[in-house]
Amino acid sequence: DGGITQSPKYLFRKEGQNVTLSCEQNLNHDAMYWYRQDPGQGLRLIYYSQIVNDFQKGDIAEGYSVSREKKESFPLTVTSAQKNPTAFYLCASKAGGANEKLFFGSGTQLSVL
Amino acid sequence: AQTVTQSQPEMSVQEAETVTLSCTYDTSENNYYLFWYKQPPSRQMILVIRQEAYKQQNATENRFSVNFQKAAKSFSLKISDSQLGDTAMYFCAFIFPNSGNTPLVFGKGTRLSVIA
């Protein structure tokens, strides 16, 4: 079955540590997105990629980095520069066309030890 | 910048009753798409319904329908015959039609509780 997979489901970060959240899709979608969800804040865009080897910053990119070396994969690294990383992270992908729906992964809950 | 506003952080409704969630947006464009997404306690995001701005007819999906008022820039979601499984966060979202794969803009969400 086609879908989008995020791992791990839960992740803990020590202070000063970089951690990487995985996002893989087998839907053959060109576009992929990372959103951060905090209580009462809705979904805020971190980074997005419309095509392999290209990506753009979203509204809250500081302290995060991404890569898009393969169409199927769009990992997100939360760096030590991100001082408040505790949040729920959602990855999504979409086929071409503005009216196409977003396909979401099941999310990763990141917490600080 | 385009913005989406959901003015009701929390709402509740009795089972089998009808509830309406509000959403307003700000844009100077004439053509765009609007969406409602649902996030149940499992946290899996699910598309509920979508509306194309150039279509005058309001979209409907089973018990879910929208009231799209283009001039007022309003896009409310009506849930009829509410069920316990409708308990979730609901997010309104917006995108331009010619924007290709640029991101959706989401509101902050409304937490809906359906009470037995």
Side-chain angles (χ1 to χ4, degrees):
Chain A
D1 288 338
I4 182 166
T5 302
Q6 287 187 244
S7 63
K9 194 173 179 67
Y10 299 96
L11 187 58
F12 298 90
R13 192 191 89 166
K14 295 179 181 178
E15 197 152 339
Q17 186 182 41
N18 292 353
V19 292
T20 297
L21 284 60
S22 170
C23 180
E24 304 275 335
Q25 54 99 359
N26 60 3
L27 299 164
N28 200 35
H29 289 168
D30 284 318
M32 297 187 74
Y33 311 84
W34 275 106
Y35 288 93
R36 170 176 170 148
Q37 185 176 13
D38 296 276
Q41 294 293 321
L43 275 67
R44 293 185 291 169
L45 182 69
I46 305 172
Y47 269 98
Y48 68 103
S49 169
Q50 299 189 66
I51 198 167
V52 175
N53 293 322
D54 188 41
F55 48 83
Q56 288 79 39
K57 292 182 179 180
D59 301 318
I60 56 166
E62 186 175 349
Y64 300 96
S65 66
V66 293
S67 63
R68 187 84 187 277
E69 296 176 1
K70 299 186 300 182
K71 190 175 187 177
E72 301 80 16
S73 178
F74 191 41
L76 174 74
T77 297
V78 184
T79 75
S80 57
Q82 172 50 247
K83 298 306 179 186
N84 184 23
T86 296
F88 187 63
Y89 292 85
L90 280 164
C91 180
S93 70
K94 189 165 75 72
N99 65 332
E100 295 292 331
K101 73 173 187 178
L102 278 177
F103 285 77
F104 284 88
S106 55
T108 294
Q109 175 65 51
L110 175 62
S111 303
V112 176
L113 287 175
Chain B
Q2 323 310 318
T3 58
V4 177
T5 302
Q6 295 180 249
S7 59
Q8 306 148 315
E10 294 189 24
M11 294 188 72
S12 62
V13 63
Q14 290 290 132
E15 199 174 4
E17 297 295 309
T18 295
V19 64
T20 299
L21 310 183
S22 66
C23 172
T24 58
Y25 54 93
D26 183 22
T27 182
S28 58
E29 299 294 324
N30 190 50
N31 201 12
Y32 41 86
Y33 293 99
L34 295 158
F35 303 81
W36 278 99
Y37 280 86
K38 167 185 176 179
Q39 187 182 43
S42 68
R43 298 219 220 176
Q44 181 66 52
M45 294 284 284
I46 303 163
L47 176 67
V48 175
I49 200 165
R50 73 186 109 185
Q51 173 81 39
E52 298 167 62
Y54 67 87
K55 287 187 176 179
Q56 294 186 343
Q57 186 173 9
N58 289 325
T60 300
E61 289 286 343
N62 300 314
R63 297 183 295 107
F64 298 88
S65 61
V66 299
N67 182 6
F68 175 48
Q69 302 287 331
K70 192 172 183 179
K73 296 180 183 177
S74 171
F75 182 59
S76 59
L77 175 69
K78 185 171 86 170
I79 306 174
S80 304
D81 185 25
S82 296
Q83 301 176 359
L84 295 177
D86 295 333
T87 293
M89 284 289 291
Y90 287 82
F91 294 97
C92 180
F94 169 102
I95 193 170
F96 293 121
N98 297 320
S99 65
N101 288 321
T102 55
L104 269 68
V105 178
F106 285 89
K108 292 188 176 183
T110 295
R111 183 177 301 279
L112 176 67
S113 298
V114 180
I115 302 166

